[in-house]
Amino acid sequence: MFRTLWQTIEQLQTFHHGPHSGPYTMTAYRRFTNIGLDRRGAIASRRDFLRSAGATAAAGLFTSWTDQVSCAAESLRKQGKRCVLLWMEGGPSQFETLDPKPGTSSAGDAGDIATVVPGVHLAENLPHLAKQMGDLAVIRSLTSKEGSHPRARYLMHHAALPMGGADLPTLGSSVAERRRAAGDYEVASNLPSYVRVGRVGNAGNAGMLGVEYDPLTVDGPTQPPRNARPASSVARFERRLGLLRRLESDFGTGFGAVEGADVVANHRQLVDAASQMILSPEMQAFDLERETTAMRASYGEGRFANGCLLARRLLESGVTFVEVTLGGWDTHDDNHARTQELCGQFDKPAARLIADLKERGMLDSTLVVWMGEFGRTPRINGRGGRDHYPKAFSAWLAGCGVQGGQVIGATDKSGAEVIDRPVSPQDLFQTIYHALDIDPSHENTTSTGRPVKLVDGGAVIDGLFA
Amino acid sequence: MRRRFHVFVIPLGLVLATSATTRAAGPKPTVVAKQIDQLLAEELALSPSELAPAVNDTTFLRRVYLDLLGTIPSPEEVRAYVADDLPRKRRRLVNELLKRPEYGVSQARYWRDVILSRRLEDRAIVVGPALVEDLAQWINDGEPWDAIARRFITATGTASENGETAIFVAQDGRTEEIAAEVSRIFLGVQIQCAQCHDHPWDEWKREQFHELAAFFPRVGMRPIRDARPLDLMVNVADRPDRPRFRSGVNLNRRGRPEHYMQDLEKPGEVGERIEPKFFLTSLELPAGTRDADRRAELANELTQTDWFATALVNRYWSELVGEGFSEPIDDLGPGRESLAPGAADRLAGAFADSGYDLRWLHKTILATDAYQRESRPRRTPDEKPFTASVAQPLRGDQLLDSLLAALEVDESRLRGLGGGRGGYGIATPRLGFNAAFGYDPSEPRSTIQATIPQALARMNTPQLNLAVQALPMTVVGRLQREHGNDVEEITSELYLRTLSREPTAEELATVNDFADEATWSGAAMEDLMWALLNSAEFAHRR
C-alpha cells in the first residue's frame, strides 16, 4: 500500500521552499510548513478525464454513447429551440467579411466572391460560407452608438447598456431560462443549459436569474470544464462523497441539525448536481475524440473549429445555448492580413456547423447567430488598420425558420452609412427571441423590485422569417 | 427631512452639542450593546423562550475570527481560548483581534467587494490592490468612517496607486452612475431609479437625482494611454469658461462643466442645465462651482446626515447578525419599515457619537446578545427577526484564507485555484479565487447561491487534493506521524483545524466506522480532511 502511495506522490509532488509573504497575509502569526503545490493546472489531462468519465459509462451503469445520442434525438424534439452564438470578440470588420465594397477606397485589399445565391457577394475571405449562403440571412445594416469594447460587448449580449442596480441576464442565460420555463426540460440533462466555450470579458452571466442559469465556462473546446475530473479515482471520490453525506446527515447532531439545516440541504443539492454531472455519460459530449476523423476534419482545425463541433455535440446532449468565441478582431493595425487569417479560422467551421446541423435535422430548431460588438471604419488608418465603427456593421443568422439566401439592409457605397432598413441591437434581439419562441416582452424583476423586459424596444426584423 | 433618531432626540442633541469632549471617548460599547438588546426585546416583544441560546466559546471564537480577521483560528488558538478562564474573555478577545493588522485588511476586502461587484467598467479591478492596501491602512490607523467616505468622494488620481478612486473608476467616470453609487454605498439610498422618472415608490423626484448628479459632471475617467499593465485615471475638467456640449460615446472620458438633464421627449437635445443640490440638506451650489468645491461640500454634508450613520450600521448589523434592520441593506427608503427602528436609531446615533469609529461599532455589535446567539436557518417572513444568528456563506477571501489556514498552505505557494469565471487582469490566485467564489456583499444573503464550478473547484482542484493527502509536509501527514493510527485523535485534530470544534460522539463513530472499512487509516484520514473541507459547515460562518 505504502509503495503505491509513494509512487503516486513521486508523480505528483514538486516541493518548493519559499519565503513568507508580505506583512498583510495571514502568515505573520501562524507557523507554516511550506507545502509545495502541484504545478499542473486545474484541468486534468484529456486522457485522465476520459478514463474517469469513460469508466463510469463502461461500468454498465449507463448507456453507450450511440444510445445516448439516439436518446438525445428524442430529447431534442422535446427540448424545442436551441441556439449557438458565434461571438466575434473585438469587432469584426464588415468590409472583409459580410459587406465587401469592391472598387471603393473602403474595400482595402480584399476582394469579393459570388455566393450560391445569385447577386449576393461576400468578401473573398469566406469561400465556405459563400457556398452555404442559401441558409444564411446576412444583416448589413446593424447600427448602434457604442464604440467602446466593454459597453458594446455588454450591449450585444444584453440588448441594453449596463446600468446600476439591475443585474441583467446575458442572452444565453435568458434563452436557457425562458426555454426551461416553456417546459423544455422535461427530459433532464445532467449538463447545464448554457455552456460558454472560451472566456469573454464582461459578456455577462445569469444576473438576476440566479446561478442556475450561469454559463458553465470551458476554457478550451478540447478540454472538459475545469475541475470536472475527480482528483482521486472515481471509486474513492464516491467514497468521499459518501462520508461527506453521512457526516452531514446521519445523526443530526452537527451543524446541520439545527443551525444550518437549510444551508446543509442546499449544499447537498449542489454537491449532488456537480458530482452527478461529472460522473454522467453526458460528459462525453466534451470529448471531441469520440467523433470520427472525417467528421473532425470536416470542421477544420483550430480552437474555433473545435468549438463549433463541441457546440453541436453539446446541443445533442441537451444543452440549450452554446456560445463559442473567436477573439482577435480588434484590428487597429494590419487589418487586411489579420482579418484574412481570422476569416480562415471561422469560415469553414461555421459553414460546416450549419451543414452538419442540417444533415442531422437540427437546423430547423437551432438558431445560429454570428456577431461581434461593432464594425470597423471605412477608412484604413496609417497603420493599415481599421478603428471602431458602431454606425454600420454586419451579422448573420441561420436556422430556426430564418429565411436563408437573403441580405437584410444595406450601407452606402463606402460602407459609412446605413441606407436601407437600419437594424438596432434591440431589433436583433427581438428577432433572436422570436426565432426561439421566446416572448421578448417577458419581464424579470431586479432585487429592488424593478421589472425589466428581456428587450426594451425594437421590432422583429421584417421579412427575415420564411 | 425627517429625524431618524426620534427616540433619542434629546440625549443625542446634548451629546452633539458637546461633541468635542464626548466624541473622544464615545459611548461605552457594552452600555450601548445592552440598550440595543433591551430595545430589540421591547420593540419585537421578544420572550426569552423564543431566543436561540448563546453560542459556546468555540463557535464564538470562529465567528469572531471570520468577522474581524476574515479567517479561522488555528487549533492552538482554539485550545488557548477554551483554556482561558479569566473573566470577560469574549470582550478581551474582540479587543485583541481589533488590534491585529488583518482586521483592516479583511474589512478593506469587504469594501472592495462592495464597490467592485457593481462595476460598470470591468477593467476597474485594477484598482483592487490599491483599494485594499489603502483602506486597510486607514482602518487600522483608526480613521473614522466619515473621513474615509470623504476620501472616496473627493478622489482624483490613478487607479493603481490610489484606492480612493475606486468608485469613480468602477463606474467608468459616468456622472449619473457615480451619483447613484455614492448615494447607495454611503447613504443606503437608491435614488438611481429617479434617473429617468420620478421614483416609483419613494418620494425622490427625477430632479433630485439629477441635482445630486450635478456634483459630479466635471469628473471623468480615462485609460492611461499606453500604460502596461493597463491603468485608469480619474481626471477633472474644471473649465467652466469654455462649456462644451460634447456628445457621443466618449462623453464620460473628460467630464464637462455642468450637468444636463435630458428631456425624455427630446432625447437628441442636451436638456436642462441642473445646478448641484443635495436632496437631504439645504446644500446648493451655483453653476460654475469648481469640481473640488462641489465634491468636498457634498462629502461634508452627506457624512453628517442621519442616513450616513444608519446606512453603515444597518450594513454591519446585517453582516454580523445575519439580517439588517432594513433589507436590502443598501435600499433603506424612505418609506421602508425598519424591523426595529428604535434599536437601529440608537445604534446609528451612538455610532455618530463615537466619531464614526469603526472599531467602536464592531465592539458594540459584537457585545450584543443578538450577535452572540446560536445560528438558526433563515427566518420565514412571519417569524420574528433577531431571535438567532444566521449562518453566513464565507466571502471569497474568507474561504480562501480559511482553506489556507486549515491546510497550512502559504499563499505565496499557491497556483491557479478556483472554479473559473475570468475577467480582466486575473493575475493572482487570490483574484482568480475571488472571481470564482466572491459575491456582491450588498445582495441579500438569501439570494446568494453556490455554483457548480465552485463545488467542482472545492472537490477536485488538484492543488487542494494534493494538500489533503498524507504526505510528509502536509497536515494529515504530520498528524499521522504524531498520532500513528489513532483515528479518534486525528479526527479531533482535523475537526479543530477545519471547523474549530471537537467532533460530536456521533461524528466520531461515523469516522471510526469509515476508517474500519478503509484499507489504511491514512487514506481514511485524507478522505475525512477532504469531506470536512467540502462540508457546508466549513464554507459558512455559523
Side-chain angles (χ1 to χ4, degrees), chain A residues 1-10:
Chain A
M1 200 65 213
F2 243 104
R3 176 166 298 169
T4 344
L5 180 72
W6 273 107
Q7 282 166 352
T8 321
I9 293 167
E10 279 164 26

Side-chain angles (χ1 to χ4, degrees), chain A residues 29 145 199 214 251 259 267, chain B residues 102 249 421 510 534 542:
Chain A
Y29 59 96
K145 287 179 181 158
R199 282 165 193 274
D214 265 345
F251 301 104
E259 299 184 83
H267 177 69
Chain B
E102 301 96 298
V249 296
R421 273 200 182 190
T510 303
N534 278 283
R542 65 195 298 202

Side-chain angles (χ1 to χ4, degrees), chain B residues 1-14 16 280-281 304-307 310 341 345 348-349 352:
Chain B
M1 181 203 165
R2 76 195 170 93
R3 295 294 312 174
R4 290 175 63 84
F5 301 147
H6 48 86
V7 176
F8 288 89
V9 167
I10 295 168
L12 186 65
L14 286 174
L16 287 177
L280 293 179
T281 72
Q304 284 168 37
T305 66
D306 299 343
W307 293 84
T310 305
D345 281 1

Side-chain angles (χ1 to χ4, degrees), chain A residues 40-189:
Chain A
R40 299 187 316 169
I43 294 176
S45 77
R46 206 194 64 84
R47 188 172 304 164
D48 291 343
F49 159 64
L50 288 181
R51 206 158 46 213
S52 62
T56 323
L61 292 168
F62 298 98
T63 49
S64 72
W65 174 251
T66 338
D67 293 341
Q68 171 74 25
V69 171
S70 55
C71 286
E74 196 175 322
S75 67
L76 282 178
R77 276 192 292 281
K78 292 187 188 168
Q79 192 191 348
K81 304 290 176 72
R82 301 169 293 283
C83 185
V84 181
L85 170 59
L86 305 177
W87 176 254
M88 301 297 114
E89 172 82 8
S93 165
Q94 67 279 30
F95 299 102
E96 277 82 4
T97 56
L98 305 179
D99 196 9
K101 296 288 175 186
T104 72
S105 64
S106 303
D109 294 332
D112 63 326
I113 47 168
T115 70
V116 293
V117 177
V120 177
H121 286 226
L122 296 178
E124 66 177 359
N125 294 330
L126 304 175
H128 291 90
L129 274 180
K131 290 192 195 111
Q132 212 67 44
M133 184 64 211
D135 294 312
L136 300 186
V138 168
I139 301 166
R140 287 183 177 154
S141 51
L142 265 164
T143 179
S144 96
K145 287 179 181 158
E146 287 307 325
S148 102
H149 289 291
R151 286 171 67 79
R153 192 184 307 128
Y154 190 96
L155 175 66
M156 297 302 283
H157 274 88
H158 299 79
L161 287 169
M163 50 186 138
D167 199 2
L168 301 182
T170 187
L171 176 65
S173 299
S174 288
V175 170
E177 192 269 343
R178 284 290 86 202
R179 288 312 317 166
R180 185 183 295 188
D184 280 356
Y185 265 78
E186 283 164 30
V187 180
S189 167

Side-chain angles (χ1 to χ4, degrees), chain B residues 134-436:
Chain B
D134 291 350
L135 188 52
Q137 180 84 51
W138 307 328
I139 291 175
N140 283 334
D141 288 351
E143 212 172 281
W145 181 236
D146 60 332
I148 291 173
R150 235 173 272 131
R151 286 180 181 273
F152 279 113
I153 296 170
T154 58
T156 56
T158 309
S160 64
E161 288 169 5
N162 184 0
E164 293 173 2
T165 60
I167 295 175
F168 295 92
V169 167
Q171 298 308 313
D172 197 20
R174 290 172 185 272
T175 306
E176 281 100 341
E177 309 296 347
I178 292 167
E181 277 295 271
V182 163
S183 176
R184 181 183 78 86
I185 293 171
F186 295 118
L187 300 172
V189 173
Q190 300 219 9
I191 193 176
Q192 74 271 11
C193 295
Q195 186 171 341
C196 308
H197 48 72
D198 290 347
H199 200 289
W201 52 77
D202 285 341
E203 66 197 32
W204 314 124
K205 297 285 173 263
R206 188 166 175 251
E207 281 74 16
Q208 290 180 300
F209 172 79
H210 287 278
E211 285 162 358
L212 178 66
F215 284 96
F216 299 101
R218 299 183 177 209
V219 200
M221 197 278 289
R222 52 199 315 197
I224 295 173
R225 208 189 167 95
D226 298 329
R228 294 286 178 278
L230 176 128
D231 205 351
L232 304 166
M233 190 178 73
V234 170
N235 58 308
V236 168
D238 242 341
R239 289 192 289 182
D241 51 321
R242 271 190 286 164
R244 279 167 311 205
F245 299 104
R246 295 166 54 84
S247 62
V249 296
N250 284 332
L251 190 64
N252 61 310
R253 294 277 190 246
R254 290 176 197 283
R256 54 180 185 176
E258 300 301 337
H259 180 64
Y260 293 82
M261 180 171 80
Q262 204 178 49
D263 182 343
L264 297 174
E265 304 296 313
K266 299 172 193 156
E269 293 176 14
V270 173
E272 179 193 350
R273 191 181 76 181
I274 303 287
E275 299 190 354
K277 190 172 165 188
F278 182 41
F279 61 101
L280 293 179
T281 72
S282 56
L283 175 66
E284 269 182 80
L285 298 173
T289 307
R290 298 184 66 80
D291 171 71
D293 297 332
R294 289 181 201 228
R295 292 197 278 150
E297 296 243 14
L298 176 68
N300 283 336
E301 293 266 324
L302 179 153
T303 51
Q304 284 168 37
T305 66
D306 299 343
W307 293 84
F308 179 70
T310 305
L312 186 79
V313 157
N314 188 56
R315 187 178 269 279
Y316 270 33
W317 184 268
S318 165
E319 186 72 15
L320 296 165
V321 181
E323 179 175 25
F325 297 110
S326 276
E327 298 260 356
I329 54 170
D330 52 6
D331 192 12
L332 304 182
R336 290 313 170 279
E337 285 280 312
S338 170
L339 293 170
D345 281 1
R346 174 62 189 137
L347 191 55
F351 171 57
D353 204 29
S354 76
Y356 302 107
D357 179 347
L358 295 173
R359 280 195 183 87
W360 177 92
L361 186 58
H362 267 122
K363 279 183 202 172
T364 304
I365 297 178
L366 267 53
T368 61
D369 294 340
Y371 174 81
Q372 297 193 19
R373 289 191 189 113
E374 279 185 7
S375 295
R376 292 289 177 266
R378 206 161 273 286
R379 73 180 177 99
T380 55
D382 54 340
E383 289 171 316
K384 284 186 185 171
F386 311 132
T387 57
S389 184
V390 183
Q392 302 259 38
L394 302 188
R395 293 193 310 280
D397 290 296
Q398 293 174 320
L399 187 60
L400 177 61
D401 284 327
S402 299
L403 276 170
L404 297 180
L407 290 165
E408 289 188 357
V409 170
D410 187 318
E411 186 174 351
S412 65
R413 303 280 100 225
L414 209 58
R415 292 195 174 77
L417 179 68
R421 273 200 182 190
Y424 283 94
I426 296 295
T428 66
R430 178 175 294 275
L431 280 174
F433 193 88
N434 263 313

Side-chain angles (χ1 to χ4, degrees), chain B residues 37 53 76 100 126 133 209 228 245 250 253 296 327 334-335 346 355 370 400 402 450 472 474 480 502 514 525 531:
Chain B
D37 283 321
E76 295 74 28
R100 301 246 292 243
V126 300
E133 196 181 323
F209 172 79
R228 294 286 178 278
F245 299 104
N250 284 332
R253 294 277 190 246
E327 298 260 356
R346 174 62 189 137
L400 177 61
S402 299
T474 63
Q480 195 78 25
E502 294 275 358
F514 183 82
M525 294 300 98

Side-chain angles (χ1 to χ4, degrees), chain A residues 300-342:
Chain A
E301 284 178 7
R303 215 176 143 91
F304 186 77
N306 285 326
C308 287
L309 178 56
L310 176 60
R312 191 263 286 158
R313 288 179 63 83
L314 290 171
L315 296 180
E316 283 179 320
S317 299
V319 175
T320 302
F321 194 101
V322 185
E323 180 168 353
V324 188
T325 294
L326 175 61
W329 289 100
D330 198 15
T331 53
H332 290 283
D333 307 88
D334 197 14
N335 175 70
H336 178 70
R338 285 173 64 190
T339 50
Q340 199 169 36
E341 201 267 323
L342 287 161

Side-chain angles (χ1 to χ4, degrees), chain A residues 1-2 5-6 8-9 12-21 23-44 89 145-151 153 162-167 192 199-202 205-206 209-212 214-217 225-232 236-237 239-244 246-248 250-251 253-256 258-264 267 270-271 273-275 277-278 390 447-450, chain B residues 59 65 69 71-74 76-77 100-102 105 109 118 120-123 136-137 140 172 174 177 190 192-193 201 249 253 328 331 374-378 391 401 404-405 407-416 418-422 424 443-444 449-453 455-463 465-475 478 495 501 504 506-507 510-511 513-514 517 519-520 523-524 526-528 530-532 534-537 540 542:
Chain A
M1 200 65 213
F2 243 104
L5 180 72
W6 273 107
T8 321
I9 293 167
L12 286 177
Q13 69 185 354
T14 336
F15 286 107
H16 301 275
H17 298 275
H20 285 191
S21 43
Y24 279 150
T25 62
M26 297 300 158
T27 57
Y29 59 96
R30 186 161 293 145
R31 181 172 48 90
F32 274 97
T33 49
N34 272 314
I35 303 175
L37 288 180
D38 189 359
R39 267 181 177 280
R40 299 187 316 169
I43 294 176
E89 172 82 8
K145 287 179 181 158
E146 287 307 325
S148 102
H149 289 291
R151 286 171 67 79
R153 192 184 307 128
M163 50 186 138
D167 199 2
R199 282 165 193 274
V200 195
N202 60 335
N205 287 310
L209 296 180
V211 289
E212 206 179 341
D214 265 345
L216 180 76
T217 302
R226 285 166 79 89
N227 301 308
R229 173 183 164 258
S232 49
R236 183 138 189 223
F237 178 65
R239 245 191 348 261
R240 287 177 167 185
L241 286 172
L243 176 63
L244 174 60
R246 274 156 74 186
L247 287 174
E248 290 202 324
D250 272 6
F251 301 104
T253 50
F255 172 68
V258 204
E259 299 184 83
D262 53 344
V263 164
V264 171
H267 177 69
L270 176 71
V271 168
S275 48
M277 178 183 98
I278 62 173
S447 58
T448 52
R450 171 177 165 198
Chain B
T59 306
Y65 260 77
L69 305 187
T71 188
I72 54 176
S74 69
E76 295 74 28
E77 285 161 324
R100 301 246 292 243
E102 301 96 298
V105 177
R109 285 177 175 155
R118 301 271 171 106
L120 284 183
E121 167 56 84
D122 225 32
R123 295 176 289 184
Q137 180 84 51
N140 283 334
D172 197 20
R174 290 172 185 272
E177 309 296 347
Q190 300 219 9
Q192 74 271 11
C193 295
W201 52 77
V249 296
R253 294 277 190 246
D331 192 12
E374 279 185 7
S375 295
R376 292 289 177 266
R378 206 161 273 286
D401 284 327
L404 297 180
L407 290 165
E408 289 188 357
V409 170
D410 187 318
E411 186 174 351
S412 65
R413 303 280 100 225
L414 209 58
R415 292 195 174 77
R421 273 200 182 190
Y424 283 94
E443 288 290 328
Q449 294 170 283
T451 66
I452 284 188
L456 293 179
R458 280 173 74 196
M459 294 194 292
N460 299 334
T461 300
Q463 288 87 336
N465 273 280
L466 188 73
V468 161
Q469 288 176 44
L471 302 174
M473 316 287 271
T474 63
V475 165
R478 195 184 69 234
Y495 266 83
R501 66 172 173 93
T504 64
E506 288 83 354
E507 286 167 334
T510 303
V511 177
D513 286 353
F514 183 82
E517 294 158 18
T519 43
W520 178 58
E526 293 176 352
D527 294 346
L528 174 62
W530 182 93
L532 291 170
N534 278 283
S535 68
E537 185 172 344
H540 286 77
R542 65 195 298 202

